[in-house]
Amino acid sequence: TNIAAGPIVGNTFNDNDGQWEGGGLSMVTTCSAFLNNTVTNNHSAADGGGVHVCVDCFPHANPTVMDNVISNNKNDIVGAAGIGAAHIRFFRDNDIFDNERFNKSSNFAWFNEHFDVYPSWSVNPDIANNWWGTTDSATVAKSINDGEDDATYGKAVFEPVATGPVAKPRTRVMITTRKIRYNLDQEEMPVFLTIYNPGAAREVELFVYLQYGAIGPLPYRGTISFPNAEKTASGFKLKLPETSVFFDTLIKPNYEEQKALPEGRWYAVLVDSSTGERIGETNFARFLMGGG
């Protein structure tokens, strides 16, 4: 997937053979939400027998990877048989197991370099709460290639590990920015929203917030293209159809070099309209402005 932001949801990638990187698929400069997919029995010559998230692309790919099954994939040389990446927004609630390189467990590889031009908080990823086919931390660690194996790279924090399979379809809201850092004056900074409802129709309230530096978070009061969206006091009431995916570009402000604060965050959360209970966790996208 090249220069893409739209969601990749509910697909099966099976029995594919990649000539180089990405047996099942290769994500190149994409910030897509990759949700509830099955990636099995694929093969690549290099990194990412299942999924390759481009390591040396600029701007870097920075997808959100949740609720997927990535298993029984193979690769031949560098990287991982399961998934290899250098930048990733979230990697959580996935079942990733039985991926092999040279007949050894190879589920995850991490290539974010300490001297990269990207922010320090992206170096050591939080990849906890995934199912690795075992609860034994030492066995999980052997299936991960990161800074423990090559000090050039950051270290993936994989604990706590899930105690059993966790991947399943679930209602999600994802918000993301096109890049992790903006530093070109007047460059567009699009903000993308994905809402996935894999089950029965339901009514929800969506809340979106923006925080610049220590200011805010402030509610987003712009428009959303969701059909029949109803503005509430601080959010939007939405009727999610059965088994549906919604994608929108909320806003495309320009980066202004002379005015920019150093850091921003977008937040998104869904609440059940009938019970008032939050649906899942608050999702957020962190980004820097200037420098680099």
Side-chain angles (χ1 to χ4, degrees), residues 200-215:
R202 64 191 306 182
E203 187 174 276
V204 301
E205 193 165 2
L206 166 70
F207 299 93
V208 174
Y209 299 94
L210 170 63
Q211 181 170 3
Y212 275 130
I215 302 172

Side-chain angles (χ1 to χ4, degrees), residues 28-291:
V28 180
T29 62
T30 180
C31 57
S32 296
F34 189 75
L35 307 173
N36 188 32
N37 299 285
T38 299
V39 185
T40 56
N41 300 310
N42 302 286
H43 167 264
S44 67
D47 179 56
V51 181
H52 172 69
V53 181
C54 191
V55 170
D56 54 6
C57 303
F58 293 92
H60 274 306
N62 59 103
T64 296
V65 180
M66 302 179 77
D67 306 330
N68 304 283
V69 176
I70 304 172
S71 68
N72 293 289
N73 301 288
K74 299 182 184 299
N75 76 321
D76 297 332
I77 49 176
V78 299
I83 179 171
H87 292 270
I88 204 163
R89 289 288 187 180
F90 291 93
F91 188 81
R92 194 172 303 155
D93 295 324
N94 300 287
D95 296 343
I96 177 166
F97 59 95
D98 289 347
N99 300 286
E100 292 186 353
R101 178 165 63 93
F102 299 140
N103 297 315
K104 294 182 179 180
S105 181
S106 177
N107 289 321
F108 188 93
W110 186 247
F111 299 105
N112 190 309
E113 299 177 342
H114 290 286
F115 54 83
D116 204 339
V117 298
Y118 287 88
S120 59
W121 44 259
S122 72
V123 172
N124 303 311
D126 177 358
I127 60 168
N129 301 309
N130 293 286
W131 169 240
W132 304 90
T134 178
T135 57
D136 182 71
S137 293
T139 302
V140 175
K142 288 180 181 178
S143 77
I144 296 173
N145 185 274
D146 64 354
E148 293 287 353
D149 307 281
D150 185 338
T152 302
Y153 306 117
K155 296 180 181 180
V157 181
F158 63 84
E159 294 180 297
V161 299
T163 57
V166 289
K168 63 179 181 180
R170 65 192 91 194
T171 302
R172 294 279 194 191
V173 60
M174 299 288 165
I175 195 163
T176 194
T177 53
R178 176 69 188 84
K179 295 169 65 174
I180 293 174
R181 183 194 293 274
Y182 296 94
N183 57 8
L184 299 176
D185 192 41
Q186 299 305 309
E187 180 181 11
E188 277 191 345
M189 301 191 297
V191 179
F192 304 111
L193 181 77
T194 296
I195 301 175
Y196 176 46
N197 180 42
R202 64 191 306 182
E203 187 174 276
V204 301
E205 193 165 2
L206 166 70
F207 299 93
V208 174
Y209 299 94
L210 170 63
Q211 181 170 3
Y212 275 130
I215 302 172
L218 303 171
Y220 169 72
R221 301 310 289 152
T223 59
I224 180 172
S225 65
F226 194 97
N228 302 312
E230 177 186 337
K231 273 193 175 182
T232 62
S234 56
F236 302 87
K237 188 170 288 187
L238 311 175
K239 294 182 179 180
L240 305 183
E242 179 181 5
T243 316
S244 61
V245 182
F246 169 77
F247 175 75
D248 192 20
T249 303
L250 289 184
I251 191 171
K252 296 190 290 184
N254 288 342
Y255 166 64
E256 297 185 52
E257 187 174 12
Q258 298 301 318
K259 298 180 182 179
L261 294 166
E263 181 177 313
R265 290 193 188 204
W266 284 92
Y267 299 88
V269 62
L270 291 178
V271 172
D272 188 284
S273 294
S274 59
T275 66
E277 294 182 357
R278 187 179 64 180
I279 301 170
E281 59 197 274
T282 299
N283 188 251
F284 70 92
R286 189 176 181 182
F287 58 99
L288 295 189
M289 292 170 285

